[in-house]
């Protein structure tokens, strides 16, 4: 394809290091779509004859049918998917195939193909996240008033509801979707026609190819267009942040599924057994989601480091852009699907969660707040009095509201029997009715809004 100026062919090592076909064959659909858009435009602009254009377009359809049926052949001598498609086209239709590459370079070709691929990956991630959101909202709706301990430092802090906790992940995934759709808008410009780096002297119509490929507009600077991989970085960084959220959810499910917690039973379908310990049900899917997040973040780092030292315009380093994106996309798609199943099909032990909230002195803040409100005690003093009550309850092995009024009054005589109404975990959760708080009434309102946002009902 480029042998004209060379006296000797590439060494075996050159062929191997140069070949991207083992991974960029994943772009074959995009490559053929972009070539068809390009040749239709060349014909419309009378740069190639209608007869040649038709032969090329029909030939490309035949190549596509072959790849669909038998996969893409891997010949290192053909380097990449662009050469592989063109070589097959030449075999099928003869020298007319050589006209396809008029007013085009592999540099704008690969930038276009890759954008098309990444745009689809973004759409896929958004769709997957929408399914996860529906699962979260559904489970939150079932559990708007199920009490569980809320944690800080993984120590029992205050009672919250399971619905509120699940909806926290809804908010995270909402931001993830907004990042993907925002990134998709920036990806939506077509580099085709930028040619090698400087544009072309042929009277091409870049609006037409952009439109044919479903892009909002052509890119506006040919140097930038062939050397820009921001769209891939946008995808990888957005994927990283999304994976980070999935990993936190996975981590919580792993902790909750451990026997000392016993808050959740993961579905059998997303668990594995042990070959030696018959009682084991291991949360492997969740652990792999947690593990995948590390790999996805690694992919984002890899491409940033690849790009950071490159002068304009194209350098072959950029061929290394694809493996991290393909790897991250495969991992992310799986991680989103796994967590969707996990949320939809896990069984929450809400009785056990409530019990944990009751045993963890989760209402200590409510006692302190009651002292401030009802006995006009400064919060710092109330905090101290409450600490003494917790110490006593702990010594007696009891919940706070299981202490007698006499015991409480021995700590501070200003306490009266009305305090017990404030000390139950339900009263505590219901009292946190500030906007965005855990009170079931607040959670119910947010769940109803979210159900509309994700078209549930
Ligand atoms: N396989 C190359 C890549 O993925 C295509 C562009 C090659 N361009 C070139 N001038 N060698 O980056």
């Amino acid at each position: 394809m480029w042998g004209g100026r060379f006296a000797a062919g590439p060494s075996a090592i050159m062929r191997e290091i140069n070949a991207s076909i083992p991974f960029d064959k994943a772009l074959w659909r995009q490559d053929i779509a972009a070539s068809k858009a390009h040749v239709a435009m060349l014909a419309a602009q009378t740069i190639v004859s209608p007869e040649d254009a038709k032969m090329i377009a029909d030939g490309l359809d035949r190549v596509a049918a072959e790849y669909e049926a038998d996969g893409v052949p891997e010949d290192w001598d053909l380097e990449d998917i662009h050469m592989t498609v063109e070589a097959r086209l030449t075999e099928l239709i003869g020298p007319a195939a050589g006209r396809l590459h008029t007013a085009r370079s592999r540099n704008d070709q690969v930038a276009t193909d890759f954008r098309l691929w990444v745009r689809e990956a973004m759409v896929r991630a958004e769709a997957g996240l929408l399914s996860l959101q529906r699962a979260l909202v559904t489970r939150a709706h079932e559990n708007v008033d199920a009490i569980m301990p809320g944690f800080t430092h993984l120590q029992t802090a205050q009672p919250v509801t399971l619905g509120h906790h699940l909806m926290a992940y809804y908010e995270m995934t909402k931001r993830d979707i907004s990042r993907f759709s925002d990134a998709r808008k920036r990806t939506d410009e077509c580099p085709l026609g930028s040619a090698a780096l400087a544009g072309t002297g042929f009277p091409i119509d870049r609006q037409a190819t952009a439109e044919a490929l479903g892009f909002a507009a052509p890119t506006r600077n040919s140097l930038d267009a062939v050397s820009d991989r921001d769209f891939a970085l946008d995808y990888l960084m957005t994927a990283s942040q999304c994976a980070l959220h999935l990993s936190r959810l996975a981590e919580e499910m792993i902790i909750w599924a451990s026997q000392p917690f016993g808050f959740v039973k993961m579905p059998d379908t997303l668990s594995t057994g042990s070959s030696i310990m018959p009682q084991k049900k291991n949360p492997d899917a969740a652990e792999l989601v947690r593990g995948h997040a590390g790999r996805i973040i690694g992919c984002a780092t890899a491409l940033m480091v690849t790009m950071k030292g490159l002068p304009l315009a194209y350098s072959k380093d950029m061929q290394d852009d694809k493996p991290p994106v393909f790897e991250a996309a495969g991992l992310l798609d799986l991680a989103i699907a796994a967590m969707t199943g996990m949320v939809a099909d896990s069984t929450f032990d809400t009785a056990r969660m409530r019990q944990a909230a009751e045993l963890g002195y989760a209402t200590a803040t409510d006692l302190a707040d009651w002292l401030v409100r009802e006995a006009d005690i400064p919060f710092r003093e109330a905090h101290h009095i409450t600490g003494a009550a917790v110490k006593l309850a702990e010594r007696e092995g009891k919940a706070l509201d299981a202490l007698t009024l006499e015991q409480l009054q021995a700590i501070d005589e200003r306490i009266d029997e009305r305090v017990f109404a404030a000390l139950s975990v339900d009263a505590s959760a219901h009292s946190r009715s500030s906007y965005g708080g855990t009170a079931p009434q607040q959670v119910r309102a947010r769940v109803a809004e979210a159900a509309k946002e994700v078209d549930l009902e």
Side-chain angles (χ1 to χ4, degrees):
M1 294 279 178
W2 41 252
R5 76 174 311 287
F6 285 79
S11 71
I13 290 171
M14 184 63 220
R15 287 169 63 240
E16 184 166 358
I17 198 172
N18 202 31
S20 56
I21 187 66
F23 53 85
D24 68 15
K25 62 183 184 178
L27 296 175
W28 74 262
R29 284 191 176 80
Q30 291 74 15
D31 195 71
I32 288 177
S35 287
K36 286 187 71 175
H38 183 65
V39 78
M41 179 278 292
L42 292 178
Q45 298 299 105
T46 66
I47 299 167
V48 303
S49 71
E51 296 74 31
D52 283 345
K54 169 136 181 43
M55 250 176 34
I56 291 170
D58 292 349
L60 287 168
D61 285 340
R62 281 175 65 193
V63 177
E66 286 179 10
Y67 291 175
E68 195 71 73
D70 306 321
V72 181
E74 262 182 52
D75 177 351
W76 288 357
D77 286 326
L78 295 173
E79 295 186 15
D80 57 26
I81 186 61
H82 324 293
M83 299 291 222
T84 301
V85 171
E86 193 181 322
R88 183 62 188 141
L89 183 68
T90 307
E91 283 169 7
L92 291 173
I93 70 166
R99 298 194 188 277
L100 171 59
H101 213 54
T102 314
R104 179 177 89 169
S105 150
R106 275 189 291 164
N107 297 346
D108 59 335
Q109 200 179 352
V110 72
T112 304
D113 295 359
F114 198 26
R115 270 189 198 245
L116 287 168
W117 196 96
V118 168
R119 200 174 57 171
E120 281 172 38
M122 290 169 173
V123 170
R124 227 169 34 242
E126 289 171 58
L129 285 168
L130 180 63
S131 301
L132 173 56
Q133 289 188 320
R134 289 181 173 150
L136 286 165
V137 173
T138 303
R139 301 313 302 273
H141 178 73
E142 293 163 14
N143 293 287
V144 268
D145 47 18
I147 303 292
M148 64 173 285
F151 301 95
T152 60
H153 314 268
L154 201 56
Q155 303 284 314
T156 298
Q158 293 174 349
V160 296
T161 64
L162 176 55
H164 197 49
H165 197 112
L166 292 170
M167 286 303 285
Y169 285 96
Y170 174 78
E171 303 298 343
M172 291 178 232
T173 52
K174 197 168 148 67
R175 294 193 294 274
D176 290 328
I177 289 178
S178 111
R179 269 186 287 272
F180 274 120
S181 77
D182 188 43
R184 192 155 48 79
K185 283 182 207 120
R186 281 190 297 274
T187 301
D188 210 12
E189 290 181 357
C190 185
L192 197 59
S194 300
L197 74 164
T200 176
F202 290 100
I204 59 172
D205 180 352
R206 294 195 57 215
Q207 294 286 350
T209 43
E211 200 173 308
L213 292 168
F215 286 104
T219 52
R220 280 180 278 213
N221 181 300
S222 62
L223 290 170
D224 178 45
V226 292
S227 55
D228 168 38
R229 292 296 181 269
D230 283 2
F231 60 94
L233 287 169
D234 271 355
Y235 174 77
L236 287 171
M237 290 188 280
T238 302
S240 295
Q241 217 166 336
C242 176
L244 174 161
H245 294 147
L246 299 173
S247 177
R248 292 182 77 177
L249 177 57
E251 166 71 353
E252 293 208 306
M253 297 290 275
I254 292 163
I255 293 172
W256 290 4
S258 70
Q259 282 70 21
F261 266 79
F263 285 7
V264 70
K265 284 200 172 41
M266 288 186 188
D268 283 357
T269 49
L270 289 168
S271 308
T272 59
S274 157
S275 53
I276 177 166
M277 297 166 282
Q279 87 284 10
K280 289 290 287 275
K281 181 169 144 186
N282 292 327
D284 293 33
E287 289 171 310
L288 286 165
V289 169
R290 196 173 56 185
H292 285 2
R295 289 172 63 190
I296 292 169
I297 293 163
C299 290
T301 308
L303 185 55
M304 282 200 278
V305 178
T306 295
M307 295 303 297
K308 76 165 189 56
L310 298 185
L312 302 183
Y314 179 87
S315 299
K316 199 60 172 266
D317 317 41
M318 291 171 69
Q319 179 163 284
D320 282 343
D321 57 0
K322 283 167 282 301
V325 170
F326 294 161
E327 182 185 356
L331 295 171
L332 184 72
D333 290 348
L334 266 174
I336 293 172
M339 292 320 294
T340 303
M342 195 86 62
V343 169
D345 300 329
S346 285
T347 310
F348 296 106
D349 189 338
T350 49
R352 175 110 176 180
M353 288 177 156
R354 163 180 288 271
Q355 195 183 32
E358 281 166 347
L359 290 180
Y361 305 105
T363 59
T365 316
D366 298 279
L367 174 53
D369 286 350
W370 186 90
L371 291 166
V372 170
R373 213 168 45 239
E374 304 297 331
D376 198 26
I377 298 172
F379 183 79
R380 286 291 161 222
E381 192 188 340
H383 186 286
H384 192 78
I385 296 166
T386 305
V390 169
K391 192 153 85 184
L392 174 63
E394 203 167 48
R395 203 163 56 227
E396 305 237 324
K398 285 181 175 166
L400 262 187
D401 61 348
L403 291 174
T404 64
L405 183 59
E406 290 69 40
Q407 285 176 309
L408 287 169
Q409 284 175 336
I411 293 166
D412 195 289
E413 65 204 4
R414 288 167 290 186
I415 298 175
D416 63 48
E417 70 289 338
R418 291 172 307 152
V419 77
F420 290 106
L423 290 186
S424 78
V425 289
D426 288 289
S428 168
H430 279 266
S431 74
R432 301 226 148 67
S433 57
S434 53
Y435 181 77
T438 199
Q441 147 230 339
Q442 280 295 330
V443 178
R444 213 169 270 121
R446 184 66 187 111
V447 164
E449 255 171 28
K452 287 208 186 80
E453 288 166 5
V454 301
D455 283 323
L456 270 179
E457 238 135 11

